């Protein structure tokens, strides 16, 4: 058993015994539970948060693992590795955070005290003293009248660091012999950085509580900043360029928007890039470009003439290399032409003509061709309806965080527009954005105020799916500077990271042009910060397949963690309906990905594309197919009719006859509103779900509805034209409903089928509300299914274009008490952040849903995809690709910047 574990249990047992004595100071010992988020998604459980300050970095075995209020691992490691005894002693005596408490009778080192100086201590409070080995002893009571002085760890450390820095040779005071100025600076930096990590952690955990701690953080923060800049200057003076690069990256990430830091880093970067450009090696020139890109990404427009001069020199070298490439190509020396072209693209890929020659010579220019079932037209986050349009959104835009799958399809979150994973702060998150100014695009820039403008634009259409996450946000984000921002949450969420995946817009630019979030012109020509940008003009004529082309966004790869990304330089979305032979297109390399392949076609592709392509079945789908019911129509306000329709349909039979093609392992019937295999769907004792079909009950329900002579006896069912399986499934639904009355006397219910293009169908359902019944897909936006169901059935979102296109509980739709209870429960669930209670309430949600029937759940179809073997899907910096089966085929391009064609 570890010492911290024993200590923790001893501490809590002792506190329980002394609860009465220390109740007045409970703030110091009774803390709220640590916020936990499941880093893998799926079934949520209590785990360490992926962006928790003590979570160990996956790629850094030396990263701190112990909570910093217990021990500062970086100081322990520093003591172990220190060569100078004074530095070793410095780290050892500060490795465990403590406050120094002086009373009438003694001075002791105690566990950190919650209240800052200036705040009144309770009359009697508890403390825990550390012994000489740094182990906490049993709690003891202290009378506040006996307290003479409290010295806090933060100020103790600043004083210690100042003493180290004041000593010779860095300073003028006498001190230990034998250490260097660099060792002094390194020791002070490590000590101050570790203490700042403790301080920020303690404040998020109420170990330090109240605004009084701002006065302690500021000198600590500022002294650390000063030391890091001194380290940078020292490394430049000593020509230690590896250290210059490391420190430059560190301070740029830590102090974005800081003009003084920008000036110092500019001096360092200019010095290093000049040295690199003086080299004859092309590799050094590329390194100079990477350093310049990183600086300009962190400090857009900073650095003045010196930075501009270096950028100009890089462009000139790229132009010269491109001129050589043209000459070699003209002389038919294609090997030399490709080499020169590669050098030009590495130094400045925006030189006119480079991209075109790369495509022509097939040099470092990978093109991915993806078949789409419907051609995309409205391609902004607020207007995308079709899968192809949602796929474009994934190419062009990015969120603060990006949702990516692991090899099993479970959800992870990575920095998107954020430089690093957001930092947990009380009631919210803080993060740095990858900003750039308008000069980088010639049209628009991007910074923290665009985050604010994005949410402002979304807030003007709160009823849409694009604004689904807004109820959790407490007002607008707070910019701290041009690239740093804080978002606050008004209520808990089991995984707040999922709320930060909404796509960011060039908000200030849009507002300046008077654009709404769903502006049609912007949707046709979208602009974002994602890895690709739209190349204007769709290719193809009336008979040839249309193509929409996206080329790499040069701004995306200007960050060190995104160097040369996206690796694929062009993505083409090709209209599948006009490709005469899909197998041949794969064989000739003209098609790389085809989604939503029917189960019946799998054997055809396997037989004809063996060795060239492979089919994959998605492992974690969120799409279900439903029968939408329009509650605005008087007939569908009848609950017994809705219940009759739900129980009349034999889902398993239709799945077998229409979709499975002799493969019973594929496709599942819904038994409630959620995906059948998700955590949200109620299971029986054996893990099985209870089918909804009950045709005898259905006949009784619908006949009771028809007893009213004014009841409408014919309903129209809309379905997507061009989808033979959808047409056949709807024909089967019609036959099953009408078949109830085969031998029954009296009035009968009939269903008329009406095919529409998918776009027209969705407009009729979502915007115009002109339908009785509609066979439509529904994609849950994340794994928190009850929240999305609540968003879908929200009566405040029942306007045209809103999430609630069924009109459930909308004004004038005849909602009864049970409907209201379902709506109330769904609304209440938004305040739940603990998975256990949420899961318990979700059982009640499904029961009420199946009684109210806002829509008729049908099935979840397994989604098959054919992928060319050259496509390698990477979602992180690992050397091992993941299987395409993990991808969400609705958005498809998860982590696309790292994909490769090999």
């Amino acid at each position: 058993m570890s010492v911290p574990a024993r200590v923790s249990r001893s501490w809590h047992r002792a506190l329980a015994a002394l609860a009465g004595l220390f109740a007045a100071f409970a703030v110091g010992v009774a803390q709220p539970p640590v916020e936990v988020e499941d880093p893998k998604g799926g079934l949520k459980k209590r785990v360490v948060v992926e962006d928790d300050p003590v979570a160990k970095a996956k790629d850094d075995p030396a990263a701190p693992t112990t909570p910093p209020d217990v021990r500062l691992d970086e100081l322990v490691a520093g003591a172990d590795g220190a060569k100078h005894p004074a530095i070793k002693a410095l780290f050892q005596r500060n490795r465990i955070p403590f406050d120094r408490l002086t009373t009438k009778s003694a001075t002791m080192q105690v566990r950190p005290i919650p209240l800052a100086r200036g705040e009144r201590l309770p009359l009697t409070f508890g403390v825990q003293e550390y012994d000489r080995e740094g182990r906490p002893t049993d709690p003891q009571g202290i009378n506040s009248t006996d307290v003479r002085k409290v010295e806090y760890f933060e100020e103790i450390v600043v004083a210690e660091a100042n003493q180290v820095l004041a000593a010779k040779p860095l300073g003028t005071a006498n001190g230990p012999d034998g250490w260097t100025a660099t060792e002094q600076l390194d020791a002070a930096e490590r000590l101050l950085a570790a203490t700042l990590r403790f301080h920020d952690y303690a404040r998020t955990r109420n170990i330090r509580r109240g605004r009084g701690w701002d006065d302690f953080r500021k000198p600590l923060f500022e002294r650390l900043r000063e030391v890091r800049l001194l380290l940078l200057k020292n490394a430049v003076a000593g020509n230690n360029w590896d250290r210059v690069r490391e420190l430059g990256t560190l301070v740029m990430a830590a102090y974005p928007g800081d003009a003084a830091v920008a000036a110092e880093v500019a001096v360092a970067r200019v010095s290093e890039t000049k040295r690199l450009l003086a080299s004859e090696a092309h590799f050094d020139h590329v390194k100079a470009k990477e350093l310049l890109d990183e600086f300009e990404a962190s400090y857009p427009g900073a650095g003045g003439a010196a930075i501009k001069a270096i950028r100009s020199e890089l462009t000139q070298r790229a132009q010269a290399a491109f001129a050589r490439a043209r000459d070699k190509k003209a002389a038919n020396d294609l090997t030399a032409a490709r080499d020169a072209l590669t050098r030009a693209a590495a130094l400045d890929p925006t030189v006119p003509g480079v991209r075109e020659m790369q495509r022509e010579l097939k040099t470092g220019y990978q093109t991915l061709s993806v078949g789409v079932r419907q051609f995309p037209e409205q391609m902004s986050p607020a207007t995308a309806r079709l899968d192809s349009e949602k796929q474009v959104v994934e190419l062009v835009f990015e969120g603060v965080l990006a949702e990516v799958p692991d090899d099993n399809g479970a959800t992870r979150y990575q920095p998107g527009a954020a430089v690093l994973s957001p930092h947990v702060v009380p009631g919210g998150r803080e993060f740095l954005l990858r900003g750039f100014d308008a000069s980088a695009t010639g049209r628009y820039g991007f910074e923290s105020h665009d985050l604010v403008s994005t949410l402002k634009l979304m807030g003007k259409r709160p009823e849409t799916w694009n604004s689904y996450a807004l109820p959790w946000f407490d007002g607008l984000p707070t910019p701290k500077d041009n690239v740093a921002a804080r978002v606050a949450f008004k209520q808990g969420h089991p995984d707040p990271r999922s709320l930060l995946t909404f796509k960011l817009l060039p908000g200030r630019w849009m507002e300046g042009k008077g654009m709404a979030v769903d502006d049609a012109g912007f949707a046709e020509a979208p602009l974002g910060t994602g890895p690709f940008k739209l190349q204007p003009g769709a290719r193809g004529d009336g008979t040839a397949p249309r193509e929409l082309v996206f080329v790499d966004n040069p701004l995306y790869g200007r960050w060190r963690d995104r160097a040369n990304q996206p690796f694929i330089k062009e993505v083409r979305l090709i209209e599948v309906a006009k490709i005469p032979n899909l197998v041949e297109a794969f064989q000739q390399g003209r098609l790389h990905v085809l989604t939503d392949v029917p189960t019946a076609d799998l054997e055809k592709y396997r037989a004809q594309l063996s060795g060239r392509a492979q089919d994959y079945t998605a492992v974690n789908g969120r799409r279900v197919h439903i029968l939408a019911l329009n509650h605005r129509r008087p007939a569908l306000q009848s609950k017994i009719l809705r219940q009759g329709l739900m129980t009349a349909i034999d889902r398993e039979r239709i799945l077998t006859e229409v979709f499975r093609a002799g493969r019973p392992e594929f496709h599942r019937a819904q038994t409630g509103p959620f995906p059948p295999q998700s955590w949200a769907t109620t299971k029986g004792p054996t893990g099985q779900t209870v089918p909804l079909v009950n045709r005898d009950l259905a006949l009784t329900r619908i006949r009771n509805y028809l007893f009213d002579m004014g009841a409408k006896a014919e309903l129209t069912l809309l379905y997507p034209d061009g989808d033979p399986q959808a047409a056949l499934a709807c024909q089967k639904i019609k036959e099953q409903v009408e078949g109830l009355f085969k031998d029954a006397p009296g009035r009968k219910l009939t269903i008329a089928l009406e095919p529409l293009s998918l776009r027209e169908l969705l407009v009729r359902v979502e915007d115009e509300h002109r339908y009785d019944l509609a066979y439509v897909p529904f994609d849950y936006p994340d794994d928190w299914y009850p929240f999305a169901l609540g968003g879908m059935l929200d009566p405040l979102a029942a306007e045209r274009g809103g999430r609630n296109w069924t009109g459930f509980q909308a004004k004038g739709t005849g909602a009864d008490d049970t409907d209201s209870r379902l709506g109330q429960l769904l609304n209440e669930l938004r305040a739940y952040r603990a998975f256990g209670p949420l899961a318990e309430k979700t059982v009640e949600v499904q029961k009420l849903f199946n009684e109210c029937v806002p829509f008729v759940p049908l099935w979840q179809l397994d989604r098959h995809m054919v992928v060319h073997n050259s496509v390698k899907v990477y979602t992180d910096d690992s050397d091992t690709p993941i299987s395409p089966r993990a991808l969400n085929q609705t958005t498809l391009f998860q982590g696309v910047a790292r994909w490769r064609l090999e």
Side-chain angles (χ1 to χ4, degrees), residues 770-788:
R770 290 193 299 117
Y771 72 100
D772 293 333
L773 315 174
Y775 177 74
V776 292
F778 174 63
D779 289 283
Y780 282 92
D782 54 38
D783 292 333
W784 301 101
Y785 301 103
F787 297 157

Side-chain angles (χ1 to χ4, degrees), residues 26-45:
V27 65
V29 296
Q31 299 162 18
V34 175
E35 183 171 26
V36 291
E37 303 168 352
D38 182 353
K40 293 278 186 165
L43 187 64
K44 303 301 186 279
K45 51 192 176 184

Side-chain angles (χ1 to χ4, degrees), residues 270-281:
V270 167
S271 299
E272 186 173 7
T273 52
K274 283 183 176 179
R275 181 185 66 84
L276 291 168
L277 289 174
S279 165
E280 296 296 324

Side-chain angles (χ1 to χ4, degrees), residues 456-736:
K456 280 184 181 178
L457 291 168
M458 291 165 57
K460 294 178 180 178
R461 292 296 309 274
E463 75 281 4
T464 66
W465 276 113
N466 185 53
S467 303
Y468 158 67
L470 289 184
W472 280 274
F473 288 97
D474 189 6
L476 294 172
T478 303
K480 301 180 71 176
D481 53 44
N482 282 348
V483 292
R486 174 176 180 164
V487 295
F489 300 127
K490 70 170 64 171
Q491 55 194 23
H493 188 284
D495 195 341
R497 294 169 300 171
S498 66
L499 303 175
L500 298 176
T501 58
F502 65 90
K503 302 303 185 185
L504 298 173
L505 305 170
R508 292 173 302 146
W509 180 81
M510 293 179 68
E511 287 182 322
K513 293 187 172 295
M515 292 181 174
V517 69
D518 55 354
D519 182 85
F522 181 77
E524 292 171 0
L527 301 168
T529 63
F532 291 89
K533 61 180 183 179
L534 175 66
Q535 182 168 290
R539 303 177 183 178
D541 53 32
T543 58
R546 289 180 292 173
E547 296 183 3
L548 205 58
V549 180
F550 299 84
V551 296
D552 63 304
N553 179 358
L555 295 175
Y556 187 86
R558 292 176 66 176
W559 294 81
R560 177 171 290 188
D561 63 319
R562 292 176 168 182
N564 301 316
Q565 294 181 19
F567 298 124
I568 292 172
K569 300 304 180 185
E570 184 175 299
V571 175
R572 298 187 180 195
L573 302 186
I574 305 173
E575 193 176 19
V576 165
K578 293 183 180 178
I579 298 178
N581 189 324
L582 291 172
V583 170
E584 187 178 85
F586 272 104
Q587 291 171 335
Q588 296 176 357
R590 293 184 288 109
L591 191 62
H592 296 103
V593 179
L594 180 64
T595 61
D596 289 313
V597 174
T599 303
D601 290 349
L602 293 181
E603 289 304 323
K604 174 185 73 175
Y605 287 107
R606 289 176 184 174
Q608 299 183 48
L609 292 176
S610 177
R612 291 181 179 272
Q614 187 174 340
D615 63 89
Y616 300 89
T617 301
V619 295
N620 190 19
R622 295 171 180 156
R623 168 170 291 181
V624 295
H625 280 80
I626 66 173
L627 201 62
L629 308 175
N630 189 355
H631 293 245
R632 300 171 185 85
R633 299 288 171 92
L636 277 306
Q637 292 174 16
S638 168
K639 184 170 291 185
I640 56 174
L641 173 59
R642 303 198 304 266
Q643 292 171 343
L645 291 171
M646 181 178 72
T647 54
I649 300 170
D650 187 341
R651 294 156 180 80
E652 285 293 333
R653 181 176 175 182
I654 294 177
L655 288 173
T656 297
E657 294 176 350
V658 177
F659 297 103
R660 286 181 173 145
R663 302 288 298 275
E665 69 270 25
F666 290 133
H667 316 306
R668 287 157 296 282
Q670 284 183 268
T671 57
F674 309 119
Q677 293 184 322
S678 73
W679 67 266
T681 291
T682 304
K683 316 292 193 305
T686 62
Q688 299 298 312
T689 56
V690 179
L692 292 174
V693 61
N694 186 333
R695 292 180 60 78
D696 291 337
L697 179 62
L699 177 59
T700 300
R701 290 282 193 268
I702 297 177
R703 288 185 68 179
N704 286 340
Y705 159 75
L706 291 171
F707 283 154
D708 182 350
M709 296 307 294
K712 184 178 180 181
E714 181 182 77
L715 301 174
T716 300
L717 169 56
L718 308 183
Y719 69 90
D721 194 12
D723 184 342
Q725 288 186 316
L728 183 55
C730 289
Q731 178 63 38
K732 297 285 185 182
I733 291 173
K734 169 183 169 68
E735 292 172 0
Q736 288 188 1

Side-chain angles (χ1 to χ4, degrees), residues 328-562:
K328 295 298 183 182
K329 178 175 177 287
N332 204 34
D333 186 352
L334 298 185
T335 299
R338 290 190 178 97
D339 180 65
L341 183 61
T342 299
R343 290 170 178 260
L347 297 179
D348 188 348
T350 66
V351 168
V354 166
R355 192 183 307 279
E356 290 75 12
M357 189 180 289
Q358 282 183 315
R359 187 183 301 118
E360 183 181 354
L361 298 182
K362 295 182 170 52
T363 303
Y365 195 89
Q366 299 182 344
T367 300
L368 179 72
S369 298
V370 178
V372 294
R373 303 288 177 179
Q374 293 86 27
F375 200 70
E377 296 176 9
Q378 297 293 304
M379 299 171 287
S380 72
T383 62
R385 302 179 192 272
L386 309 176
D387 284 1
S388 59
E389 294 169 346
K390 295 174 183 177
Q391 290 161 11
V392 170
V393 168
E394 200 69 17
L395 291 172
V396 175
F397 299 92
E398 58 184 343
V400 174
L401 292 177
E403 178 189 287
V404 295
D406 65 14
D407 202 42
N408 295 314
T411 297
R412 295 182 294 123
Y413 294 93
Q414 294 177 341
V419 179
L420 301 168
S421 292
H423 178 61
V424 179
V425 296
R429 294 291 189 273
E430 287 183 356
F431 45 84
L432 308 178
L433 292 168
R434 304 175 192 265
F436 55 85
D437 60 22
S439 64
T441 64
R443 299 176 68 183
Y444 65 96
F446 183 79
E447 44 129 293
S448 56
H449 293 87
D450 287 282
L451 169 68
V452 177
S453 295
T454 295
L455 286 170
K456 280 184 181 178
L457 291 168
M458 291 165 57
K460 294 178 180 178
R461 292 296 309 274
E463 75 281 4
T464 66
W465 276 113
N466 185 53
S467 303
Y468 158 67
L470 289 184
W472 280 274
F473 288 97
D474 189 6
L476 294 172
T478 303
K480 301 180 71 176
D481 53 44
N482 282 348
V483 292
R486 174 176 180 164
V487 295
F489 300 127
K490 70 170 64 171
Q491 55 194 23
H493 188 284
D495 195 341
R497 294 169 300 171
S498 66
L499 303 175
L500 298 176
T501 58
F502 65 90
K503 302 303 185 185
L504 298 173
L505 305 170
R508 292 173 302 146
W509 180 81
M510 293 179 68
E511 287 182 322
K513 293 187 172 295
M515 292 181 174
V517 69
D518 55 354
D519 182 85
F522 181 77
E524 292 171 0
L527 301 168
T529 63
F532 291 89
K533 61 180 183 179
L534 175 66
Q535 182 168 290
R539 303 177 183 178
D541 53 32
T543 58
R546 289 180 292 173
E547 296 183 3
L548 205 58
V549 180
F550 299 84
V551 296
D552 63 304
N553 179 358
L555 295 175
Y556 187 86
R558 292 176 66 176
W559 294 81
R560 177 171 290 188
D561 63 319
R562 292 176 168 182

